Amino acid sequence: MEQLVGTGVALVTPFKEDFSIDTIALAKIVNYCVDGGVDYLVVLGTTGESVVLSKKEKQLVIDTIVDANAGRLPLVLGVGSNNTAAVVEELQDTDLKDFVAILSVSPYYNRPTQEGIYQHFKAISLASPKPIILYNVPGRTGSNMLPETVLRLANDFNNIVGIKEACGDMVQIMRTIKDKPANFMVISGDDFTALSTVLAGGSGVISVLGQGLPSEFSQMIRFGLAGQVKEAFALHYAIQDGMDLIFKEGNPAGIKALLEAVGLGTAVVRLPLVEATATLKKTIKSFLNTLLKTVV
């Protein structure tokens, strides 16, 4: 899917001080990303705090992003659970007309075997009217979807078109890239491994920092895809501290602090997450000020 090559961003759900959804800020973030040159938007992923949103609130987020985007960029919808039947039901009940694909996380907490992971995604594949991007994030799920399982799914189901790989292990990532079908996308799910994944033959990234620094991040990935390694790494090192800072106190607390610093909503998150500390906010502002002086 050529439209999902490059930089996607996992959008936050901005909240007002009373914890209600700030649709005005969300629309501004969408426009900021579009204007900054990102290639597609991911809606209701982990970064969007989807697990603490009601069904009504999720629909509000979808409607706000669809309206603000106005067809400019491809949209991907997060649809995942550790209950396979619930994912199948959600796929059947959700209007997916505005989305080019779904992003579905490997089952969390249950810690299934590799066969269990395969059967979970087989059921989703058979139920989904849209292409599927697998999502492997062992740090959150408690289990690692191994390359052999990813490749088995990629070869067995035509509508499983890629994986967002957030294992943080470049050896594992490269094993998948080496043996994947030609049209299967390996997409970095970690900002730190984004450039390395692209240079190893991956298709791009679904980024967190990318919505706060859309111009810099998307240009870095474009350089990487074009084989302009020196230019790509220059940008990587310029924004590397930002990658570290936004995860220092958890996601999305850090990226919301950065977005607050650039005037895009508040840093408010919902429990059980807590807002970034004053110290981290100050450090993020210092990083942004330094970046403005180093990146033209």
Side-chain angles (χ1 to χ4, degrees):
M1 297 182 67
E2 286 297 318
Q3 56 196 330
L4 299 182
V5 172
T7 301
V9 294
L11 292 168
V12 301
T13 300
F15 299 127
K16 300 176 184 177
E17 294 295 341
D18 65 359
F19 298 101
S20 63
I21 294 173
D22 188 341
T23 56
I24 294 174
L26 181 54
K28 287 180 178 178
I29 292 168
V30 169
N31 287 322
Y32 185 65
C33 290
V34 174
D35 294 343
V38 306
D39 298 294
Y40 60 99
L41 304 173
V42 178
V43 183
L44 293 177
T46 306
T47 301
E49 294 177 80
S50 55
V51 293
V52 295
L53 300 179
S54 68
K55 185 174 182 180
K56 184 177 179 181
E57 287 175 325
K58 287 182 180 180
Q59 192 59 53
L60 177 60
V61 168
I62 290 172
D63 292 344
T64 300
I65 292 171
V66 168
D67 288 347
N69 181 54
R72 292 177 290 175
L73 295 182
L75 301 177
V76 175
L77 181 65
V79 183
S81 171
N82 61 340
N83 179 345
T84 307
V87 180
V88 170
E89 183 178 353
E90 186 173 355
L91 287 171
Q92 293 169 341
D93 293 345
T94 303
D95 183 357
L96 298 171
K97 71 177 185 302
D98 295 306
F99 298 93
V100 300
I102 67 163
L103 175 69
S104 197
V105 69
S106 184
Y108 44 85
Y109 189 77
N110 306 41
R111 301 186 70 179
T113 63
Q114 296 301 304
E115 182 62 26
I117 293 171
Y118 175 88
Q119 293 297 334
H120 172 82
F121 283 113
K122 175 182 178 180
I124 292 172
S125 171
L126 295 175
S128 179
K130 294 285 184 174
I132 301 159
I133 301 171
L134 311 172
Y135 181 15
N136 184 39
V137 54
R140 287 188 179 271
T141 64
S143 64
N144 186 15
M145 182 162 35
L146 298 177
E148 50 263 37
T149 303
V150 175
L151 296 169
R152 186 180 170 200
L153 288 163
N155 285 308
D156 288 355
F157 303 102
N158 291 333
N159 64 342
I160 296 180
V161 298
I163 182 169
K164 177 185 177 183
E165 182 54 88
C167 65
D169 181 349
M170 279 307 302
V171 174
Q172 177 170 322
I173 293 167
M174 291 171 73
R175 283 176 178 156
T176 302
I177 291 173
K178 171 180 173 290
D179 294 325
K180 71 179 183 64
N183 294 325
F184 186 80
M185 300 180 298
V186 177
I187 301 166
S188 173
D190 288 313
D191 289 338
F192 266 110
T193 63
L195 180 56
S196 297
T197 297
V198 166
L199 294 176
S203 299
V205 63
I206 294 176
S207 173
V208 176
L209 183 60
Q211 69 197 294
L213 303 173
S215 297
E216 294 86 353
F217 213 106
S218 58
Q219 185 58 60
M220 176 187 75
I221 297 300
R222 280 193 291 272
F223 279 143
L225 289 168
Q228 295 177 254
V229 179
K230 182 178 180 181
E231 295 86 349
F233 271 113
L235 275 172
H236 175 90
Y237 291 129
I239 63 178
Q240 180 172 296
D241 286 347
M243 300 176 191
D244 189 35
L245 287 171
I246 64 166
F247 290 101
K248 192 171 184 179
E249 294 179 4
N251 183 43
I255 186 60
K256 282 192 166 183
L258 189 150
L259 289 167
E260 181 181 75
V262 297
L264 294 171
T266 72
V268 173
V269 292
R270 286 183 179 176
L271 288 171
L273 302 181
V274 293
E275 190 169 327
T277 60
T279 299
L280 180 58
K281 288 183 179 183
K282 182 178 179 181
T283 307
I284 286 173
K285 287 181 181 179
S286 177
F287 158 74
L288 289 171
N289 288 334
T290 301
L291 183 65
L292 284 173
K293 298 173 184 176
T294 57
V295 176
V296 178

